[in-house]
Amino acid sequence: MKFVSTRGKSPAVSFSAAIMQGLAPDGGLYVPESFPKIPQEAFDGVESLPDVANVLLRPFVEGDAIAAQIPEITRDAFNFPAPLAQASTDGRLSILELFHGPTAAFKDFGARFLAACMARLRTDASRPLNILVATSGDTGGAVAAAFHRRPGVVVSVLFPKGLVSPTQEQQLTCWGDNVHSFRVAGTFDDCQRLVKEAFLDPTLKSRFELSSANSINLGRLLPQAVYYAATSLAVWREQGRPASYIIPSGNLGNSMACLWARALGLPIGRIVLAHNANRTVPDFLKTGVWEPRPSVPTLASAMDVGTPSNMERMRSMFPDIRDLREAVSAMSVSDDQIRHRIAEGFRLGGGIWCPHTATAVDAYVRLTTEERHDQHWVIVSTAHAAKFREIVEPLIGQQIEIPESLAKLFSRPASAVDLQPELAALIGALEKTASKI
Ligand SMILES: *Cc1c(COP(=O)(O)O)cnc(C)c1O
């Protein structure tokens, strides 16, 4: 299998090359050149996430140098569960809990798979692979956790000083060892600009083997199809019905993975995208006019995206808007509705929802009675509520129990180096950390 750019002006590449390159040279995103239907019998007796992943990934890695290592990689990456919890007594609604990884959010799946691949794909083992990540919160923590203590890899996390919550800052600065945290005197945009400048700088390029762990990387997106495959098969085996998913969406990486799983023939029904007040996608589906815009801050901050980059993948899969409207539907949920849904959460199986998950719960409640009864619905829960306890606790009037994964992070000592938002400062800092290896 080869991977092609959404813009069609780059050569097709292998799975490994797509992962190491991140972005295609023409600026497009890598997508599989085809979606071979995987017969359901291929999954007979296959239940655990690593086993499902091995079957699902087989067509994509066929002929690639990494193919033989896939079982080892999936065991390494999928070492925590993605359980389906029943959420209604009639058995028609479940919650997919994607928050049992080391940083208690679904990005752990993609970050761990990418790390497991990259650690094995390093081209130049004589010098460390330097991963640079700019983060406004969730991504940096997941990437840092995934690469922590991997030999031959150094991670530099850049975050804006004073602009992340105390809970988030702890997750970005508690690692040590091969993870370096930089508190940049600037905004998230400054962090992102610094990383981009670093990649373009010729001296840095010759000094270091640089890579990014950007969310558009194929190695972060493809593994997310695995939990959709595993859970839709589980629903099918139990009820003989396809599973329909409601997915809290921002950059559309998680929902794109669900579309890919369905294209591979997995028993998936409808796909509903739940957005916050950043309504670029719901508006596009309604009007057919693509109008990216600056993001607005909301309670579900990991979904504050005004220009979702994976729409490029969605449109390359469904160039005709009528086909896209058949493939997905989308809703926008306001902060007031998020607050209301969290407060009312107990009524729906007694759940405590993070603000992102609450958007999906709200979208579910807005379905018509027929729609609800027609399908087996799965609400995708993207993060543990304890990650957003500053928001959730006042709304539910009680303290949230901290899961063990987060408690472990909170107990680690934190440290970060202050950085001016200039390339020279970043180069100096990278040189300094390199000299310590
Ligand atoms: C990143 C994130 C999202 C949005 O996922 P996309 O793949 O960007 O659509 C939703 N919820 C949480 C908790 C996240 O961290």
Side-chain angles (χ1 to χ4, degrees):
M1 167 80 73
K2 293 280 189 217
F3 294 84
V4 294
S5 165
T6 45
R7 301 197 183 166
K9 294 194 178 68
S10 302
V13 298
S14 69
F15 178 83
S16 297
I19 285 181
M20 291 313 282
Q21 280 178 30
L23 207 64
D26 63 3
L29 312 185
Y30 282 116
V31 292
E33 63 182 355
S34 67
F35 291 93
K37 289 267 183 296
I38 306 176
Q40 227 176 80
E41 304 81 72
F43 292 100
D44 280 351
V46 175
E47 280 179 21
S48 75
L49 286 180
D51 289 348
V52 170
N54 293 341
V55 176
L56 183 109
L57 295 173
R58 201 174 290 149
F60 297 107
V61 298
E62 209 179 310
D64 192 282
I66 208 170
Q69 296 181 78
I70 286 294
E72 191 188 304
I73 289 172
T74 56
R75 219 177 317 125
D76 176 346
F78 299 103
N79 67 344
F80 56 92
L84 262 188
Q86 217 184 72
S88 70
T89 44
D90 63 4
R92 285 211 168 91
L93 177 67
S94 346
I95 309 282
L96 172 53
E97 297 181 356
L98 298 181
F99 50 71
H100 295 281
T103 69
F106 85 95
K107 289 188 178 74
D108 285 325
F109 286 97
R112 286 190 64 80
F113 183 81
L114 181 74
C117 288
M118 277 189 166
R120 290 165 176 87
L121 283 172
R122 289 166 45 239
T123 48
D124 182 356
S126 69
R127 49 185 198 163
L129 180 64
N130 266 266
I131 311 266
L132 297 183
V133 215
T135 186
S136 55
D138 262 2
T139 299
V143 169
F147 283 95
H148 184 225
R149 294 197 176 145
R150 284 197 189 266
V153 182
V154 177
V155 180
S156 302
V157 179
L158 283 71
F159 65 93
K161 180 175 181 165
L163 297 179
V164 300
S165 76
T167 309
Q168 281 174 324
E169 180 150 344
Q170 175 66 20
Q171 287 170 53
L172 298 170
T173 56
C174 69
W175 302 100
D177 303 310
N178 62 330
V179 176
H180 306 286
S181 307
F182 296 107
R183 200 186 289 119
V184 176
T187 62
F188 170 63
D189 290 336
D190 288 319
C191 298
Q192 219 166 16
R193 174 180 50 79
L194 271 181
V195 169
K196 278 191 188 145
E197 284 174 10
F199 279 109
L200 295 173
D201 187 78
T203 37
L204 266 183
K205 243 188 180 158
S206 62
R207 262 296 268 119
F208 297 104
E209 197 185 343
L210 289 180
S211 191
S212 86
N214 202 298
S215 72
I216 49 86
N217 193 304
L218 179 79
R220 282 189 51 188
L221 205 151
L222 193 54
Q224 294 170 176
V226 172
Y227 44 75
Y228 291 112
T231 53
S232 65
L233 286 165
V235 169
W236 183 261
R237 283 169 188 151
E238 203 184 288
Q239 310 191 6
R241 294 198 294 174
S244 291
Y245 292 87
I246 308 181
I247 307 173
S249 296
N251 226 355
L252 300 172
N254 201 1
S255 30
M256 200 61 227
C258 191
L259 280 162
W260 283 3
R262 190 170 65 184
L264 292 167
L266 283 140
I268 293 171
R270 289 186 51 191
I271 299 173
V272 177
L273 316 177
H275 287 267
N276 57 25
N278 291 279
R279 36 181 316 132
T280 310
V281 175
D283 286 352
F284 174 53
L285 288 179
K286 195 181 276 170
T287 63
V289 184
W290 179 241
E291 285 181 303
R293 53 200 84 157
S295 66
V296 296
T298 75
L299 293 173
S301 53
M303 293 158 41
D304 291 347
V305 183
T307 311
S309 38
N310 278 298
M311 183 48 87
E312 187 163 335
R313 282 187 167 115
M314 248 177 226
R315 294 178 79 179
S316 85
M317 198 170 184
F318 304 103
D320 188 328
I321 181 88
R322 284 167 299 186
D323 295 333
L324 184 59
R325 283 177 182 139
E326 287 276 300
V328 294
S329 46
M331 299 191 197
S332 166
V333 179
S334 70
D335 271 0
D336 277 346
Q337 289 161 324
I338 290 175
R339 275 193 212 98
H340 174 73
R341 216 32 83 193
I342 293 173
E344 295 259 292
F346 292 115
R347 293 212 325 205
L348 207 84
I352 299 177
W353 316 120
C354 87
H356 310 82
T357 306
T359 65
V361 177
D362 196 71
Y364 172 75
V365 174
R366 282 198 244 163
L367 296 173
T368 65
T369 314
E370 289 94 76
E371 283 174 314
R372 267 187 247 162
H373 286 275
D374 250 11
Q375 318 267 330
H376 182 90
W377 286 98
V378 178
I379 290 171
V380 177
S381 179
T382 46
H384 194 286
K387 279 195 99 160
F388 302 92
R389 56 187 175 177
E390 295 93 339
I391 296 169
V392 178
E393 285 180 349
L395 290 169
I396 62 169
Q398 70 176 64
Q399 284 201 330
I400 302 170
E401 213 177 302
I402 309 283
E404 209 179 305
S405 54
L406 288 184
K408 244 198 250 168
L409 302 195
F410 291 145
S411 69
R412 297 178 68 95
S415 83
V417 170
D418 283 298
L419 200 71
Q420 287 304 307
E422 284 138 27
L423 183 62
L426 176 61
I427 294 177
L430 290 177
E431 295 283 358
K432 208 158 147 193
T433 57
S435 66
K436 279 194 238 151
I437 295 166

